[in-house]
Amino acid sequence: MQERQLTSLLDIYILEIIMEGIQKKSFSAKFTILIVILVILAVATIFSAIYLLVKMNNSKQQINFSIGKDTASLILTIDPAEQLKKGEDTQRRNAVTQVRDAILAYFSLNNQAPWCVGSVECNANPSGTGLNDPQMVSAIAELIKSGELKSDFPTRFSKYFSEIFVTAPQTGSTVIVCFKPASNSFLKDSNTKYIKTGETPCTLPDCYWCAR
């Protein structure tokens, strides 16, 4: 209240000086009027500048908040852990597809399974057998030797051998190769509906993606 009264008195005082100067029309009065006008303009300019700075700062804070919010949303959307799991599942799927195609090609050319080489009678056929099993390790070696798999296959995919499972009869009429996905993307895939021997149904999360 006191500040408003002082401001009103100051306005009245300035107005009186201006009116008095105009009436007297003296040099000193005109000079006083000029000084008062300049002071008023300076004060108005200062307050305008302060107002603009405050407004710009508020806008900047809003922009920064918006950017931060969008960045957080983007990180949540991307989900680095999920992307890493998806990448691993993609590698497993590549290995699964290559193994199945190689076994089928070997059957077609040799009329026997790659795990039957050197046997008068074929050993027990794989049924949900991991690639890390001795039977499948020798089969992978035979597939590489015959050219059905590239020589760098073990180097690229050996860390997944315990997670990839083969089911196949000796005749080669059916070859099923499966892996259990770790990512939500692959778990939701329509082909993730088998148990590790390639049969259905399965119950999530114990479901496998199979090439068959």
Side-chain angles (χ1 to χ4, degrees), residues 77 171 179 184:
T77 301
T171 59
F179 77 94
N184 291 327

Side-chain angles (χ1 to χ4, degrees), residues 25-39:
K25 296 181 181 180
S26 63
F27 175 79
S28 60
K30 291 179 180 179
F31 181 76
T32 301
I33 293 171
L34 178 61
I35 295 298
V36 170
I37 292 173
L38 290 175
V39 169

Side-chain angles (χ1 to χ4, degrees), residues 47-67:
F47 276 105
S48 297
I50 293 173
Y51 172 77
L52 289 174
L53 287 173
V54 171
K55 189 173 182 180
M56 289 174 63
N57 185 57
N58 290 337
S59 299
K60 184 177 180 181
Q61 289 178 351
Q62 291 176 355
I63 292 172
N64 289 338
F65 175 76
S66 178
I67 292 173

Side-chain angles (χ1 to χ4, degrees), residues 52-154:
L52 289 174
L53 287 173
V54 171
K55 189 173 182 180
M56 289 174 63
N57 185 57
N58 290 337
S59 299
K60 184 177 180 181
Q61 289 178 351
Q62 291 176 355
I63 292 172
N64 289 338
F65 175 76
S66 178
I67 292 173
K69 184 178 179 181
D70 292 342
T71 302
S73 299
L74 182 60
I75 291 173
L76 290 175
T77 301
I78 294 175
D79 190 355
E82 170 64 15
Q83 294 302 313
L84 181 60
K85 291 178 181 178
K86 185 177 179 181
E88 294 288 314
D89 281 343
T90 300
Q91 291 297 309
R92 294 183 184 96
R93 182 181 61 186
N94 291 341
V96 162
T97 303
Q98 290 182 39
V99 168
R100 180 178 181 274
D101 291 347
I103 293 173
L104 288 173
Y106 189 92
F107 266 126
S108 177
L109 293 173
N110 299 281
N111 199 32
Q112 66 175 352
W115 49 84
C116 295
V117 177
S119 301
V120 177
E121 293 184 4
C122 188
N123 295 327
N125 296 313
S127 178
T129 305
L131 290 187
N132 61 333
D133 185 271
Q135 181 186 30
M136 295 310 303
V137 170
S138 63
I140 293 296
E142 179 63 21
L143 291 170
I144 292 173
K145 181 180 177 181
S146 65
E148 304 303 337
L149 283 177
K150 293 182 178 180
S151 59
D152 65 346
F153 182 84

